[in-house]
Amino acid sequence: MRVLVVEDEPKIAKSIKRGLEAETFSVDIVEDGDSGLSYGRSPEYDVIVLDWMLPGSMDGQAVCMALRAEGVTTPILMLTAKAEVDSKVKGLSSGADDYLAKPFAFDELVARLYALLRRPRDFLGNTFSAGKLVLDPVSKDVFYDKDKIDITAKEFALLEYLLRNKDKVVNKDELINHVWSDDDDVLPNTVEVYIGYLRNKIDKKYNADIIQTKRGFGYIIQS
């Protein structure tokens, strides 16, 4: 899942980025309201963490209102030092989906982000599944018929995105946009390479047919 963090305090921004990447999120950071609006318009982001107090021509509340006015429906978590009830009401009224006051526990931030991510029709409890394959986005574990699979963070993120979009063909550009950040060195065949890694660990090892290729279109995991 790809997250846009709009935060002008470098230490906080770097801490959020480091922590979320450890959770297998891909993270992009911008430091002012104008950039937040520009980046926030992109459909590549699955969720936005938006600070209230920002430099530039607009603060976080204004950015949020502008995005909603333009029809952007990406979930937004408002992050701010303003903890008063009135401020919370203003933040949520501007179109934010959730509100977290500073200082905050990082585990709570992660929990709130997962809660904001749109859940597909077949999401049950805390796991995603396809046949005997089960992925737990919280524990970061992947099992096939109760056999735990050794998987890297990027492989996990790729598999999670495919499972979140089960029964939908996902093309390479969409996978790159949601699984890799702008800081990653992504080559034209990067997606194919990682799909190959997953197939070796799942399809070939267990004689399964979990990740399917729709030639000319992309990849799909079907129910």
Side-chain angles (χ1 to χ4, degrees), residues 116-186:
L116 289 179
L117 290 169
R118 284 181 171 79
R119 295 181 175 184
R121 184 177 60 254
D122 56 355
F123 182 78
L124 299 172
N126 292 320
T127 63
F128 295 97
S129 63
K132 295 180 180 180
L133 180 71
V134 177
L135 178 147
D136 189 328
V138 178
S139 69
K140 307 303 177 190
D141 290 326
V142 178
F143 297 89
Y144 190 90
D145 197 18
K146 299 183 180 180
D147 185 14
K148 187 174 181 180
I149 299 172
D150 184 17
I151 194 169
T152 68
K154 194 60 68 179
E155 291 164 0
F156 183 95
L158 179 59
L159 182 61
E160 180 183 5
Y161 190 78
L162 288 170
L163 284 168
R164 283 182 180 274
N165 291 274
K166 192 163 66 173
D167 295 321
K168 171 189 172 185
V169 177
V170 183
N171 62 43
K172 291 181 182 178
D173 288 340
E174 186 176 352
L175 288 170
I176 290 173
N177 289 335
H178 286 266
V179 176
W180 281 268
S181 66
D182 291 338
D183 295 333
D184 293 326
D185 185 16
V186 182

Side-chain angles (χ1 to χ4, degrees), residues 10 17 25 44 55 65 113-114 136 182 212 221:
K17 180 179 176 66
F25 286 95
E44 299 173 359
M65 293 177 67
L113 291 182
Y114 275 124
D136 189 328
D182 291 338
Q212 301 174 21
I221 292 180

Side-chain angles (χ1 to χ4, degrees), residues 2-218:
R2 191 167 185 176
V3 182
L4 173 64
V5 177
V6 188
E7 169 63 66
D8 65 313
E9 297 185 38
K11 289 185 178 180
I12 294 177
K14 289 180 181 179
S15 177
I16 292 175
K17 180 179 176 66
R18 183 168 57 251
L20 290 181
E21 287 180 340
E23 292 287 330
T24 72
F25 286 95
S26 290
V27 184
D28 295 325
I29 296 175
V30 294
E31 301 174 352
D32 61 84
D34 300 276
S35 297
L37 176 60
S38 177
Y39 276 71
R41 292 179 174 126
S42 172
E44 299 173 359
Y45 296 106
D46 300 291
V47 65
I48 298 172
V49 177
L50 179 63
D51 188 31
W52 184 301
M53 302 299 293
L54 293 168
S57 65
M58 56 180 66
D59 61 11
Q61 183 181 11
V63 171
C64 187
M65 293 177 67
L67 289 173
R68 295 305 188 225
E70 293 180 15
V72 176
T73 59
T74 306
I76 296 175
L77 172 67
M78 190 74 77
L79 190 64
T80 178
K82 296 177 177 291
E84 297 83 0
V85 172
D86 184 57
S87 296
K88 294 180 181 180
V89 171
K90 288 180 179 179
L92 295 172
S93 297
S94 68
D97 299 274
D98 201 357
Y99 190 105
L100 188 59
K102 300 177 183 177
F104 57 86
F106 182 76
D107 287 347
E108 182 178 3
L109 172 64
V110 172
R112 287 176 181 269
L113 291 182
Y114 275 124
L116 289 179
L117 290 169
R118 284 181 171 79
R119 295 181 175 184
R121 184 177 60 254
D122 56 355
F123 182 78
L124 299 172
N126 292 320
T127 63
F128 295 97
S129 63
K132 295 180 180 180
L133 180 71
V134 177
L135 178 147
D136 189 328
V138 178
S139 69
K140 307 303 177 190
D141 290 326
V142 178
F143 297 89
Y144 190 90
D145 197 18
K146 299 183 180 180
D147 185 14
K148 187 174 181 180
I149 299 172
D150 184 17
I151 194 169
T152 68
K154 194 60 68 179
E155 291 164 0
F156 183 95
L158 179 59
L159 182 61
E160 180 183 5
Y161 190 78
L162 288 170
L163 284 168
R164 283 182 180 274
N165 291 274
K166 192 163 66 173
D167 295 321
K168 171 189 172 185
V169 177
V170 183
N171 62 43
K172 291 181 182 178
D173 288 340
E174 186 176 352
L175 288 170
I176 290 173
N177 289 335
H178 286 266
V179 176
W180 281 268
S181 66
D182 291 338
D183 295 333
D184 293 326
D185 185 16
V186 182
L187 300 175
N189 68 334
T190 296
V191 173
E192 294 179 18
V193 171
Y194 276 85
I195 288 291
Y197 293 156
L198 286 173
R199 282 177 169 157
N200 285 333
K201 293 181 177 182
I202 301 171
D203 291 334
K204 291 184 178 180
K205 181 177 180 179
Y206 299 101
N207 193 27
D209 188 23
I210 300 296
I211 304 173
Q212 301 174 21
T213 299
K214 297 294 183 180
R215 296 196 179 280
F217 296 96

